[in-house]
């Protein structure tokens, strides 16, 4: 870390000197010192953006996102076969991309204007732990359910569709949703994004609050009293959703 700091100081000094001549000739600034005064804030902001904190937090974010979506697709192909899986199994939608872009915008604005906000490592590490836990819960759900797990809600029963109540389904009724909820909120806590943390929690919760009753309508159709009894004793896994 000390090496990186000293290296950046050298880069900043050289960049300031080189840019000072360009700015002075372009803007009519007669003094090299004046041009350096104009350049220094820009370089300082660049130093913040490319700091150890930003590099680590953003790297963790990109790894978490890439791993989540690629692993979802690979598991779907492994379970159902490539011929039965589309790119929708990557779980990347327009609204999802907008949300992620908003979170990155918030991150860059805050790390430039309020860099100290991103230095709460106990918060960031708590978010990283949530990302890992959420990922584990969701992948356990997919593997345990096997062919009974699909990314789209079934509206018609199939020969492979069965009520899974073993493994993680003994303690959580919808572990896939539970895992994603924890994972998505964790990504924003990991970035120390206060606005996106609240927004992600509300939006994802609202999505599952509407999706779970819709899905369970069909599950009661498929499995009758068996599912009613199961739903009565096992929590959904999403806060405040029965």
């Amino acid at each position: 870390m000390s090496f990186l700091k000293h290296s950046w100081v050298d880069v900043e000094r050289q960049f300031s000197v080189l840019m000072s001549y360009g700015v002075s000739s372009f803007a009519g600034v007669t003094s090299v010192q004046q041009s350096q005064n104009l350049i220094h804030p820009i370089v300082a902001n660049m130093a913040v953006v490319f700091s150890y904190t930003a590099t680590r937090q953003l790297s963790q974010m990109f790894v978490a996102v890439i791993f989540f979506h690629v692993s979802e697709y690979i598991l779907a192909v492994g379970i159902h076969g490539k011929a039965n899986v589309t790119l929708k199994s990557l779980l990347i939608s327009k609204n999802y991309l907008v949300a992620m872009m908003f979170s990155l915008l918030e991150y860059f604005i805050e790390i430039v204007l309020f860099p100290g906000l991103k230095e709460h490592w106990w918060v960031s590490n708590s978010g990283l732990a949530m990302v890992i836990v959420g990922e584990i819960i969701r992948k356990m759900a997919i593997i345990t359910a096997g062919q009974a797990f699909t990314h789209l809600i079934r509206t018609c029963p199939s020969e492979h569709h069965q009520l899974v109540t073993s493994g993680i389904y003994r303690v959580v009724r919808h572990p896939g949703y539970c895992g994603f909820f924890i994972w998505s909120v964790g990504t924003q806590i990991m970035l120390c994004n206060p606005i996106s943390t609240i927004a992600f929690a509300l939006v994802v919760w609202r999505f599952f609050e509407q999706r779970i009753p819709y899905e369970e309508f069909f599950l009661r159709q498929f499995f009758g009293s068996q599912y009613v009894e199961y739903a009565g004793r096992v929590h959904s896994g999403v806060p405040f959703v029965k």
Side-chain angles (χ1 to χ4, degrees):
M1 185 172 176
S2 177
F3 171 75
L4 292 175
K5 182 177 180 180
H6 289 304
S7 297
W8 177 258
V9 171
D10 291 337
V11 171
E12 179 182 356
R13 185 181 300 112
Q14 294 174 22
F15 183 76
S16 296
V17 172
L18 289 173
M19 288 296 293
S20 63
Y21 294 101
V23 171
S24 60
S25 59
F26 176 78
V29 179
T30 57
S31 169
V32 172
Q33 182 61 44
Q34 286 178 304
S35 62
Q36 288 180 336
N37 289 339
L38 292 174
I39 294 298
H40 183 73
I42 300 175
V43 177
N45 288 339
M46 291 174 60
V48 170
V49 173
F50 292 102
S51 66
Y52 168 78
T53 298
T55 300
R56 174 179 163 181
Q57 290 173 341
L58 290 174
S59 296
Q60 290 175 171
M61 176 66 173
F62 290 133
V63 169
V65 169
I66 292 171
F67 179 82
F68 175 83
H69 295 289
V70 172
S71 62
E72 289 284 317
Y73 181 80
I74 291 175
L75 282 174
V77 170
I79 292 172
H80 300 289
K82 189 173 182 179
N84 300 313
V85 175
T86 67
L87 291 179
K88 289 184 178 180
S89 288
L90 286 171
L91 301 183
I92 300 176
S93 66
K94 181 180 178 180
N95 290 338
Y96 175 84
L97 290 175
V98 170
M100 284 299 179
M101 288 174 64
F102 177 83
S103 73
L104 290 176
L105 178 62
E106 178 189 354
Y107 185 85
F108 284 117
I109 291 174
E110 289 174 350
I111 200 169
V112 170
L113 299 180
F114 314 104
L117 180 65
K118 307 301 182 183
E119 297 296 337
H120 297 292
W121 283 107
W122 67 272
V123 174
S124 183
N125 289 336
S126 297
L128 176 60
M130 289 178 64
V131 167
I132 295 172
V133 170
E135 188 72 81
I136 291 173
I137 291 174
R138 183 168 175 86
K139 293 311 185 278
M140 287 177 63
I142 295 174
I143 294 172
T144 301
Q147 292 191 337
F149 187 95
T150 59
H151 286 128
L152 300 176
I153 294 177
R154 291 182 186 273
T155 57
C156 298
S158 70
E159 59 179 326
H160 300 299
H161 200 191
Q162 58 181 334
L163 180 60
V164 181
T165 59
S166 60
I168 194 169
Y169 288 87
R170 291 181 178 178
V171 293
V172 181
R173 197 162 78 247
H174 294 283
Y177 298 159
C178 173
F180 182 80
F181 182 82
I182 295 172
W183 179 89
S184 61
V185 176
T187 60
Q188 300 312 304
I189 295 177
M190 183 173 65
L191 293 179
C192 297
N193 277 356
I195 298 175
S196 291
T197 295
I198 297 173
F200 271 52
L202 292 176
V203 171
V204 175
W205 179 86
R206 179 61 176 168
F207 175 77
F208 289 138
E209 190 265 343
Q210 295 177 335
R211 184 181 177 93
I212 287 175
Y214 176 73
E215 180 175 351
E216 292 194 337
F217 169 80
F218 294 103
L219 290 172
R220 288 192 297 270
Q221 297 271 328
F222 301 156
F223 304 109
S225 59
Q226 183 184 6
Y227 187 80
V228 173
E229 186 277 331
Y230 171 67
R233 60 183 172 83
V234 180
H235 193 270
S236 68
V238 177
F240 308 111
V241 178
K242 295 182 180 180

